[in-house]
Amino acid sequence: MPHLTLENVSLRYDGGAPVLSNVSLDIASGEFIVIVGRSGCGKTSLLNLAAGFLTPDSGRVLVDGRPVAGPGAERAVVFQNDALFPWLSTAENVAFAARLAGVAQAERRRQADRLLDIVGLAGLGDRPIWQLSGGQRQRVGLARALAADPAFLLMDEPLGALDAMTREGMQDLLLNAWHQSGAGTLLITHGVEEALYLATRIIVMAPAPGRIIRRLDVDFGRRRLAGESARSIKSSPTFVAAREDLLDSIFEREAA
Amino acid sequence: MPHLTLENVSLRYDGGAPVLSNVSLDIASGEFIVIVGRSGCGKTSLLNLAAGFLTPDSGRVLVDGRPVAGPGAERAVVFQNDALFPWLSTAENVAFAARLAGVAQAERRRQADRLLDIVGLAGLGDRPIWQLSGGQRQRVGLARALAADPAFLLMDEPLGALDAMTREGMQDLLLNAWHQSGAGTLLITHGVEEALYLATRIIVMAPAPGRIIRRLDVDFGRRRLAGESARSIKSSPTFVAAREDLLDSIFEREAA
Amino acid sequence: MSLDLAEASLAPSRAESEAARPPTPPRKRPVVAITAGLTLTALLLAWTIASHFRLVSALFLPSPFEVSRAFLTVAHEGFVDATLWQHLSASLGRVFAALVGATLIAVPVGFAIGSSRIGRGIFDPIIEFLRPIPPLAYLPLVIIWFGIGEPSKILIIGIAMLAPIVISTTSGVKGVDPDRLNAARSLGATRGQLLRHVVLPSALPSILTGIRIALGAGWSTLVAAELVAASRGLGFMIQSAAQFLVTDVVLMGILVIAAVAFALEAILRWIERRLVPWAGKA
Amino acid sequence: MSLDLAEASLAPSRAESEAARPPTPPRKRPVVAITAGLTLTALLLAWTIASHFRLVSALFLPSPFEVSRAFLTVAHEGFVDATLWQHLSASLGRVFAALVGATLIAVPVGFAIGSSRIGRGIFDPIIEFLRPIPPLAYLPLVIIWFGIGEPSKILIIGIAMLAPIVISTTSGVKGVDPDRLNAARSLGATRGQLLRHVVLPSALPSILTGIRIALGAGWSTLVAAELVAASRGLGFMIQSAAQFLVTDVVLMGILVIAAVAFALEAILRWIERRLVPWAGKA
Amino acid sequence: RADQTKLTIGYQTVVEPSKVPQADGVYEKAANATIDWKKFDSGADVIAAIASGAVDIGYVGSSPLAAAASRELPIETIFVVGLIGESEALVVRNGANINEPKDLVGKKIAVPFVSTTHYSLLAALKHWNIDPKTVEVLNLRPPEIAAAWERGDIDAAYVWDPALGKIKENGKVLTDSAQVATFGAPTFDAWIVRKEFADAHPDAVKAFVKVTGQSYADFRAKPDAWDAKSEQAAKIARLTGAKVEEVPALLKGYHFPLLEEQASNALLGGGTVKAVADASAFLKEQGKIPAVLPDYSGYVTTKFVTEAQASN
Ligand SMILES: Nc1ncnc2c1ncn2[C@@H]1O[C@H](COP(=O)(O)OP(=O)(O)OP(=O)(O)O)[C@@H](O)[C@H]1O
Ligand SMILES: Nc1ncnc2c1ncn2[C@@H]1O[C@H](COP(=O)(O)OP(=O)(O)OP(=O)(O)O)[C@@H](O)[C@H]1O
Ligand SMILES: NCCS(=O)(=O)O
Ligand SMILES: [Mg+2]
Ligand SMILES: [Mg+2]
């Protein structure tokens, strides 16, 4: 079973203060790990290390025990600002990896259509992506990441720019995509409810230097997959209590 | 007791579909009215009518029964993007109304310092406003609005751009400012919790055309002012239930 | 002067809302259009009257009628040994030759500056040094070095075009969304593929903008380049006409130059819209 | 060409985070600086060698030494009946006279276009018509109309400066945040107060940018304006030197023109920072 | 001395006797005027300056004069400098392989546009039956011609001194204006005045004519005294840029008419009007100007020469 492991990684940007200090984290297939923490505590830096966009100053990043040297197709990334390619059609965006690999146009199109179907965008393959709504674009970004059939899915606030209602719909889509692909998933969010609703495990980070201060296993997402309504989950007392608890960890609130 | 009244107002922008249709609303001193509703349902348009920035196609906007013709100093406005004047110091921003009225520099400064003290920015009067954080800038915007000692305070998503923690602090500041000034307050927000926490009455709007679909009296804010902790209010079952209820109205969610 | 406050306060205050809204409300247009129409009519009328009643001598201000006649005459019979069309194509030929040359040099240089530290080290100081010098200041030097022939004229125009294209290309390359680069890398792109599949298309809108600006700069410089030792070209034509005091041809030439500048700009904008329809949208 | 991907992917992807972060990481600078230094040294060396060993005739490429000597000679003894300082002040005088004139006309016109529909109707078509015409195209007409004296030169330079200032002012006035206007209105501002207390300061950064662009455009045009019937000025100096094939003075003149252009730009940027420190920040 | 007339005179670098009183400040005294002397490279520039009112009295060749008159520029010819002879010549570069006129086809020939040499070149080409469109006629001012010649950019040039002297160093004369005159296209130089100025300050113009006439008389009286070592030659060389040792020869390039000859039938009294009309007709034929006038007599006046002579 694939494992993506960060082993005691530390990081500082050129000449600056340490941004991450001795962080260890393991992501296995089937897990949905959500990182929360205040702005600037190093969440994005951590994800960029895992993705291979950054190299740690000390510590190691391993996939199945082997150190990684840069990004790799087994670790697909979904970006907050979708990072789609506006010069390509929706379908060509989804099939971008295939394009790089030199797969023929027709085959690329077949692949793209299958994935667009999965994310609920069947029939929009020929649209220029700048004619899609924010929520649709995030789906395309997800489809593009899933296209490579990755072992891991790394997502940095993928729903951050969406409005409340679209966001709720996308949460269920993420749950389903994770469930069906089985990819080990790492997601960053500012939404405490979102974290509770999606995660199998929540990682709370604290700033200066960025470090993990809490790990919390939850299972609301599995309850949702089992058929319970989002509304009943989110208003259940356990959920509300977990939410307050988590907010306390993040903001280290003094009980007022 | 001052009343700001919208009487059956309707509005359409040049040649477009109706944006507001037959909306009536009354704001009295001591009230804290919060408008929620999906993006584009006409909240900002409604506030702009109340402020006098727009004129309704039909219906009337009245202050104490007299129709208004444009903006007036008795209806102060706080903007989402603060709308401060970067070429003026913090103190001069706060005292802008006095500057327009030709009040002398020293007297302006005295006024500004008093208000900066109220919003918790004592000593920052000489700062250029572009050296303030987003939260501080919103406080300056609030101080500028309060400087005119307005009968009404109109705020369009004043906390929308702030991060979660700063936002919580500002909510309490708004509650206090409202309580102390006694101004009839109208606030627009996308945050359902924020609405519940601050309002004496919540107005739910629906789009196409913009109209009021629900009015809901609440009193969590008064509980906060009475000394109860934010945490205990927000995790109380009545609050959680009201929240779900409100979300249902806004998104007309089918119970899943 | 009245401040259109109503208009100002209706403008959406946030960028996102822009897309969802209809374009500028049409009800306000007429005022502008009518005033504009009146202004132009008034100007044309003043011109006609002043020249018709010889308030100003024809030497200084030929009438609109004389200017149009000059257009027809020069179009058919020519002036200083070439027809209008020959002058125009000489000028256009120079500008386009310069454009091709400048683009071939400036785009790779812009890529080098924008995408590599070594490239920046080599080319940035050169460009930063050349940039502020008005291309016309080179004119005498270029004439000493390369003579008064076509190459000199094309070179001068090309020099004027270089900086805008390099600078736009550089900013396009530097402005490539790092997320897009990262996205492509995590989808398996090699360095070459990044350049070809991400950097180039990302920078294309900037490059085209640079070319548009460069064409404008080149067209300006052209007129000056033709002041020296040309035997054809619009700049040469109006200069010769001025020396023979044929003011109607001078005015006609200025109008043609304006029209061409206008057309070039419009064509480039059209190309931009066609080639990079997404520019500014995503 | 190597793509500095590490660098690219570190760049913050969201605008807000920009402010909180330190400027560009210093560790990368040396590469650029060293390469830049090497490049400049290499160029200077090549120049010295080529001219010293007379690989190229001095007529075409005087040595750096000869160019500096030309600088000293012209500074002290002068060239074509005026010292370097006199040429320089003649040129600067023209440009500043034009700048003052252009600003006095263009700023009010920009205000009119940006803040009133009538103003837009009247001036917009005129500016849009004049804008694309290279100022040099007017040169012959201006000479016929106003002669070959100083007024013509200043006029030509001023015309080149007009459009940039009008356009920047217009966009500054149009770009006033409607929320700021509304804020001032709800604090009791009259129309006059809006113009003075909100529109003018809001547009100031744009106006200054326009003036900076205009100075550059004017400096370019100056050289051309002095190609015709001047008896003093840097453009006249290099043109005369070129006619006598005094290449060292030509090169020296180009360097002086570059230095002045550079200095003007730097001064204007300094003024911008002083006068509108908030520009781009809020 | 605010009562003094202000007079701007545009002169060219042609070697002729009036440079001596110019150098000596005689004009200023005679006209009781402050005079601003402006040097021009060719007649076209002088005409432009006169047209815009920047210059009051100017030195131009017959061709710019004809062009200006045909455009109804308000000017009057007040003094004829003389027929142009060898002082303007078409020089072909050594090594350009031009041995006879028909070799000019396809070559680059530089002239200052509108000038007498432009006119003479067109006339010569016509005489040789060469279509002007088959040669490349470039518009360069005399100093630019000298520089372009040195660089080897042009194959031939029709120009006057001092540029002419420079290019002759490595070129040979194919024809000159004395010969072109025999083709039926004589050229001459003349002083002209802005009509408005002449009406306002007739005395200043008269004084100008008188001093000019006197200098011509001085030269005609003792041409050999103006040798290379004379102070006259030195003054002329300084104002024109010609080499002092060449001045005596250059002075022979013209036939300078005396004041008393000016009003004769051959010159201002009739011949000049006809010459201007002929030149205009030729320029029209060549497509350089759009129309000719029925009558050019309004552009020539004997008034000033007559009065000047009378006051002697
Ligand atoms: N390229 C960079 N150069 C220098 N410092 C950086 C860079 N990127 C991030 N930092 C700093 O590192 C720290 C962590 O940044 P990071 O983006 O990882 O935080 P984050 O938790 O993702 O924040 P947010 O919630 O705002 O996205 C911050 O203090 C930030 O200022
Ligand atoms: N200036 C305008 N011109 C034309 N249409 C406009 C204008 N301003 C708003 N609208 C339209 O009117 C409707 C209501 O807009 P309004 O800004 O009042 O909504 P809102 O509820 O404030 O939305 P949001 O929550 O996104 O701020 C929208 O459909 C919008 O597109
Ligand atoms: N020989 C005089 C020259 S020009 O005045 O004709 O240009
Ligand atoms: Mg982040
Ligand atoms: Mg709104």
Side-chain angles (χ1 to χ4, degrees):
Chain A
M1 197 169 70
H3 274 265
L4 171 55
T5 315
L6 282 78
E7 230 180 57
N8 288 314
V9 296
S10 297
L11 180 78
R12 57 172 81 210
Y13 292 98
D14 323 70
V19 163
L20 292 174
S21 161
N22 250 312
V23 176
S24 294
L25 182 66
D26 185 81
I27 308 160
S29 306
E31 279 189 318
F32 198 131
I33 296 190
V34 176
I35 304 185
V36 293
R38 292 170 58 179
S39 188
C41 70
K43 305 182 293 295
T44 296
S45 305
L46 189 65
L47 185 136
N48 284 342
L49 284 170
F53 301 147
L54 292 176
T55 332
D57 293 333
S58 67
R60 302 191 300 168
V61 180
L62 311 162
V63 168
D64 295 334
R66 281 184 309 277
V68 301
E74 81 286 358
R75 281 159 292 146
V77 182
V78 178
F79 298 82
Q80 173 169 15
N81 296 315
D82 67 50
L84 297 177
F85 306 115
W87 50 90
L88 298 177
S89 70
T90 296
E92 283 296 346
N93 263 282
V94 173
F96 190 75
R99 185 191 188 85
L100 292 177
V103 173
Q105 151 93 47
E107 172 54 25
R108 289 208 300 270
R109 183 56 194 248
R110 230 181 338 269
Q111 192 193 67
D113 281 344
R114 189 175 52 81
L115 280 150
L116 285 172
D117 203 30
I118 292 179
V119 297
L121 295 179
L124 295 187
D126 290 321
R127 280 270 187 94
I129 57 137
W130 36 272
Q131 286 180 7
L132 301 181
S133 73
Q136 289 173 327
R137 293 173 62 125
Q138 280 300 356
R139 287 168 202 242
V140 177
L142 181 61
R144 180 178 68 178
L146 293 173
D149 199 13
F152 305 97
L153 199 53
L154 312 176
M155 302 189 272
D156 192 355
E157 303 192 39
L159 312 184
L162 306 183
D163 71 64
M165 196 172 151
T166 316
R167 193 162 180 157
E168 300 222 332
M170 282 295 287
Q171 286 169 0
D172 284 341
L173 180 68
L174 285 182
L175 267 183
N176 279 324
W178 161 67
H179 187 59
Q180 276 165 34
S181 71
T185 299
L186 181 70
L187 177 129
I188 294 175
T189 182
H190 268 120
V192 169
E193 287 188 21
E194 189 165 285
L196 287 164
Y197 188 69
L198 296 175
T200 59
R201 174 182 302 167
I202 294 174
I203 305 281
V204 182
M205 290 184 64
R211 63 201 187 278
I212 295 176
I213 54 168
R214 195 161 170 210
R215 295 162 199 262
L216 179 74
D217 288 327
V218 285
D219 65 349
F220 300 104
R222 296 196 204 275
R223 274 163 63 177
R224 176 75 180 107
L225 288 169
E228 193 174 341
S229 85
R231 177 181 182 174
S232 101
I233 293 172
K234 288 188 181 173
S235 54
S236 68
T238 44
F239 191 93
V240 172
R243 187 176 158 279
E244 286 302 306
D245 178 25
L246 206 52
L247 277 170
D248 278 352
S249 312
I250 296 172
F251 295 125
E252 301 157 50
R253 273 197 294 206
E254 58 274 27
Chain B
M1 200 169 71
H3 275 265
L4 171 54
T5 317
L6 282 77
E7 229 180 60
N8 289 313
V9 296
S10 296
L11 180 77
R12 57 173 79 210
Y13 293 97
D14 325 67
V19 164
L20 291 174
S21 163
N22 248 312
V23 175
S24 295
L25 182 66
D26 184 81
I27 307 159
S29 305
E31 279 190 320
F32 198 133
I33 297 191
V34 176
I35 303 185
V36 294
R38 293 170 57 180
S39 189
C41 69
K43 305 182 292 297
T44 296
S45 305
L46 189 64
L47 185 134
N48 283 342
L49 284 170
F53 301 147
L54 292 177
T55 330
D57 292 334
S58 66
R60 299 191 301 167
V61 181
L62 312 162
V63 169
D64 295 335
R66 280 183 310 276
V68 302
E74 80 285 359
R75 283 158 289 144
V77 182
V78 178
F79 298 83
Q80 173 166 14
N81 297 314
D82 65 51
L84 297 177
F85 307 115
W87 50 90
L88 298 177
S89 69
T90 297
E92 284 294 347
N93 264 281
V94 173
F96 190 76
R99 186 193 189 84
L100 293 177
V103 173
Q105 151 93 47
E107 171 56 25
R108 290 210 299 268
R109 185 56 195 248
R110 229 179 342 265
Q111 191 191 71
D113 282 344
R114 189 174 54 80
L115 281 151
L116 285 172
D117 202 32
I118 292 178
V119 298
L121 293 180
L124 294 188
D126 290 322
R127 279 270 187 92
I129 57 139
W130 36 271
Q131 286 179 9
L132 301 180
S133 74
Q136 290 174 324
R137 293 172 61 123
Q138 280 301 353
R139 286 167 202 242
V140 177
L142 182 60
R144 180 178 68 178
L146 293 174
D149 197 14
F152 306 96
L153 199 53
L154 312 176
M155 301 188 273
D156 192 354
E157 303 193 39
L159 312 184
L162 305 183
D163 70 63
M165 199 174 151
T166 313
R167 194 162 178 156
E168 300 221 333
M170 283 293 288
Q171 286 170 0
D172 282 343
L173 180 68
L174 286 182
L175 267 184
N176 280 322
W178 161 67
H179 187 59
Q180 277 164 32
S181 72
T185 300
L186 181 70
L187 177 133
I188 295 173
T189 183
H190 270 121
V192 169
E193 287 187 21
E194 189 163 285
L196 287 165
Y197 187 70
L198 295 175
T200 58
R201 174 184 300 167
I202 294 173
I203 306 281
V204 182
M205 291 184 64
R211 63 200 186 279
I212 295 176
I213 54 168
R214 195 165 169 209
R215 297 165 200 257
L216 179 73
D217 289 326
V218 285
D219 65 349
F220 299 103
R222 295 195 206 276
R223 274 164 60 179
R224 176 75 181 108
L225 287 170
E228 192 174 341
S229 84
R231 175 178 184 177
S232 100
I233 294 171
K234 289 188 181 170
S235 53
S236 67
T238 43
F239 192 93
V240 172
R243 190 178 155 277
E244 285 304 307
D245 178 24
L246 207 52
L247 278 169
D248 278 352
S249 311
I250 297 172
F251 294 127
E252 301 158 48
R253 275 198 293 208
E254 57 275 26
Chain C
M1 199 192 308
S2 77
L3 196 66
D4 293 338
L5 292 174
E7 188 174 6
S9 36
L10 293 183
S13 58
R14 278 176 300 160
E16 323 107 72
S17 43
E18 196 80 15
R21 280 167 190 172
T24 324
R27 204 172 54 185
K28 309 228 157 63
R29 276 293 148 97
V31 185
V32 179
I34 290 169
T35 330
L38 286 176
T39 311
L40 290 179
T41 317
L43 286 177
L44 206 68
L45 217 72
W47 177 12
T48 314
I49 290 173
S51 50
H52 184 75
F53 293 100
R54 286 285 169 254
L55 302 180
V56 186
S57 113
L59 179 63
F60 292 106
L61 192 68
S63 69
F65 170 71
E66 286 163 314
V67 172
S68 4
R69 203 185 38 200
F71 180 82
L72 293 177
T73 318
V74 179
H76 288 124
E77 290 157 37
F79 185 77
V80 282
D81 300 330
T83 63
L84 183 58
W85 176 243
Q86 289 170 320
H87 288 304
L88 178 60
S89 42
S91 292
L92 283 177
R94 287 176 190 131
V95 168
F96 282 114
L99 182 67
V100 171
T103 307
L104 287 181
I105 293 170
V107 169
V109 168
F111 257 79
I113 297 179
S115 69
S116 120
R117 268 171 252 148
I118 308 267
R120 201 185 320 164
I122 295 177
F123 294 112
D124 214 31
I126 301 180
I127 292 292
E128 278 306 301
F129 174 75
L130 294 184
R131 195 180 54 78
I133 312 182
L136 286 180
Y138 303 116
L139 189 56
L141 192 64
V142 168
I143 288 175
I144 291 178
W145 281 353
F146 303 99
I148 52 170
E150 281 306 297
S152 288
K153 295 187 182 63
I154 293 172
L155 192 65
I156 281 292
I157 300 168
I159 290 176
M161 291 176 157
L162 222 47
I165 305 183
V166 169
I167 290 170
S168 299
T169 305
T170 303
S171 91
V173 170
K174 276 192 185 161
V176 178
D177 181 355
D179 280 351
R180 292 211 174 110
L181 286 176
N182 279 338
R185 293 211 300 158
S186 74
L187 291 167
T190 62
R191 294 196 155 211
Q193 285 180 317
L194 281 183
L195 276 176
R196 163 148 165 39
H197 289 288
V198 183
V199 180
L200 184 63
S202 288
L204 201 54
S206 283
I207 295 174
L208 287 175
T209 304
I211 288 178
R212 178 160 50 79
I213 297 171
L215 252 187
W219 191 244
S220 282
T221 314
L222 167 94
V223 178
E226 288 180 350
L227 290 181
V228 176
S231 62
R232 231 165 235 195
L234 293 174
F236 166 76
M237 183 187 85
I238 56 173
Q239 198 215 6
S240 309
Q243 287 190 333
F244 284 103
L245 297 180
V246 189
T247 318
D248 45 0
V249 173
V250 174
L251 268 176
M252 181 274 281
I254 290 177
L255 293 178
V256 170
I257 286 175
V260 172
F262 207 84
L264 287 178
E265 168 109 8
I267 291 171
L268 260 286
R269 285 199 186 271
W270 181 82
I271 291 178
E272 281 177 42
R273 270 197 309 277
R274 286 261 120 172
L275 229 55
V276 293
W278 71 85
K281 280 178 192 138
Chain D
M1 202 193 308
S2 78
L3 196 64
D4 292 339
L5 293 176
E7 188 175 6
S9 34
L10 293 183
S13 59
R14 277 177 299 159
E16 323 109 70
S17 42
E18 196 80 15
R21 279 167 193 171
T24 325
R27 205 172 57 187
K28 307 225 158 67
R29 276 293 149 98
V31 185
V32 178
I34 291 169
T35 329
L38 286 176
T39 311
L40 289 179
T41 318
L43 286 177
L44 206 67
L45 218 72
W47 177 11
T48 314
I49 291 173
S51 50
H52 185 76
F53 293 100
R54 288 286 169 251
L55 301 180
V56 185
S57 116
L59 174 64
F60 293 109
L61 192 68
S63 70
F65 171 71
E66 287 163 314
V67 172
S68 5
R69 203 184 38 200
F71 180 82
L72 293 177
T73 319
V74 179
H76 288 123
E77 292 157 37
F79 185 80
V80 282
D81 301 330
T83 63
L84 182 58
W85 176 243
Q86 289 171 321
H87 288 304
L88 178 60
S89 42
S91 292
L92 282 177
R94 284 172 194 137
V95 169
F96 282 114
L99 182 66
V100 171
T103 307
L104 287 181
I105 294 170
V107 169
V109 168
F111 257 77
I113 297 179
S115 68
S116 121
R117 266 171 253 148
I118 307 269
R120 200 185 321 164
I122 295 177
F123 294 113
D124 215 30
I126 301 181
I127 292 293
E128 278 306 302
F129 173 75
L130 293 184
R131 197 178 54 78
I133 311 182
L136 285 179
Y138 304 115
L139 191 57
L141 196 62
V142 168
I143 289 175
I144 293 178
W145 281 351
F146 303 99
I148 50 164
E150 283 305 298
S152 289
K153 296 189 182 66
I154 294 173
L155 192 66
I156 282 291
I157 301 168
I159 291 176
M161 291 177 156
L162 222 47
I165 305 183
V166 169
I167 290 168
S168 298
T169 305
T170 303
S171 90
V173 170
K174 276 193 187 158
V176 177
D177 181 356
D179 280 352
R180 291 210 176 111
L181 285 176
N182 279 339
R185 293 208 304 157
S186 74
L187 292 167
T190 61
R191 295 197 154 208
Q193 285 181 318
L194 281 183
L195 276 176
R196 163 150 166 38
H197 288 288
V198 184
V199 179
L200 184 62
S202 289
L204 201 55
S206 285
I207 295 174
L208 287 175
T209 304
I211 288 179
R212 179 160 49 79
I213 298 172
L215 252 188
W219 194 242
S220 284
T221 312
L222 168 95
V223 178
E226 289 180 349
L227 291 181
V228 176
S231 62
R232 233 166 234 194
L234 293 173
F236 166 74
M237 182 186 86
I238 58 174
Q239 198 215 6
S240 311
Q243 286 179 349
F244 295 114
L245 296 177
V246 189
T247 316
D248 44 0
V249 173
V250 173
L251 268 176
M252 183 275 282
I254 291 177
L255 292 178
V256 170
I257 286 175
V260 172
F262 207 84
L264 287 179
E265 169 109 7
I267 291 170
L268 260 285
R269 284 198 187 272
W270 181 83
I271 292 178
E272 280 178 40
R273 269 197 310 278
R274 287 259 119 174
L275 231 54
V276 293
W278 70 85
K281 280 176 192 141
Chain E
R1 316 209 346 241
D3 56 320
Q4 272 198 332
T5 311
K6 277 214 183 67
L7 172 56
T8 308
I9 300 180
Y11 69 101
Q12 296 192 37
T13 58
V14 175
V15 170
E16 44 92 34
S18 74
K19 295 291 181 303
V20 175
Q22 177 184 346
D24 293 340
V26 175
Y27 285 104
E28 282 82 349
K29 271 193 223 90
N32 186 29
T34 44
I35 299 180
D36 186 6
W37 293 92
K38 282 203 150 91
K39 186 172 103 178
F40 288 88
D41 287 329
S42 82
D45 293 345
V46 176
I47 293 290
I50 288 181
S52 63
V55 161
D56 305 310
I57 294 179
Y59 182 105
V60 296
S62 50
S63 173
L65 171 56
S70 300
R71 302 301 293 163
E72 298 178 74
L73 188 67
I75 49 166
E76 283 177 325
T77 311
I78 53 172
F79 195 96
V80 174
V81 173
L83 276 189
I84 301 170
E86 296 93 69
S87 62
E88 296 187 356
L90 174 59
V91 177
V92 296
R93 159 193 301 290
N94 294 339
N97 273 325
I98 305 175
N99 301 309
E100 49 178 330
K102 71 170 173 46
D103 296 338
L104 288 171
V105 170
K107 299 290 201 239
K108 286 192 176 117
I109 311 173
V111 290
F113 267 29
V114 198
S115 73
T116 42
T117 57
H118 190 194
Y119 180 89
S120 301
L121 174 68
L122 294 173
L125 291 175
K126 186 181 172 205
H127 177 79
W128 295 323
N129 284 320
I130 299 172
D131 181 353
K133 290 192 171 104
T134 63
V135 299
E136 201 175 336
V137 182
L138 296 176
N139 181 12
L140 288 176
R141 292 188 176 79
E144 292 162 348
I145 289 178
W149 190 273
E150 187 139 345
R151 280 198 27 82
D153 286 335
I154 46 182
D155 306 305
Y158 204 146
V159 71
W160 56 90
D161 272 291
L164 178 61
K166 271 204 200 116
I167 68 175
K168 271 196 220 156
E169 286 168 12
N170 58 342
K172 70 168 203 293
V173 174
L174 192 66
T175 187
D176 61 25
S177 296
Q179 196 183 7
V180 174
T182 68
F183 299 163
T187 51
F188 61 92
D189 285 354
W191 289 98
I192 59 172
V193 66
R194 207 153 53 81
K195 228 184 198 132
E196 203 187 330
F197 181 85
D199 292 345
H201 306 283
D203 292 339
V205 179
K206 190 177 88 186
F208 175 86
V209 168
K210 192 169 161 186
V211 173
T212 308
Q214 186 57 51
S215 70
Y216 285 26
D218 291 350
F219 173 71
R220 287 269 300 268
K222 280 187 267 175
D224 294 333
W226 297 40
D227 62 14
K229 284 188 237 23
S230 66
E231 61 175 309
Q232 288 95 330
K235 286 168 187 164
I236 292 176
R238 188 158 56 73
L239 280 173
T240 61
K243 293 196 185 106
V244 70
E245 58 274 18
E246 290 171 3
V247 168
L250 290 169
L251 282 168
K252 303 215 167 69
Y254 283 76
H255 170 76
F256 299 112
L258 298 172
L259 194 52
E260 43 274 33
E261 298 164 4
Q262 291 281 343
S264 70
N265 261 347
L267 296 177
L268 297 178
T272 306
V273 177
K274 179 163 186 313
V276 171
D278 290 347
S280 299
F282 181 71
L283 288 175
K284 163 93 169 74
E285 174 197 319
Q286 293 286 322
K288 301 301 186 237
I289 56 175
V292 293
L293 303 179
D295 175 21
Y296 284 89
S297 56
Y299 296 92
V300 175
T301 177
T302 56
K303 173 173 172 242
F304 298 105
V305 287
T306 321
E307 287 178 9
Q309 200 188 345
S311 73
N312 259 342

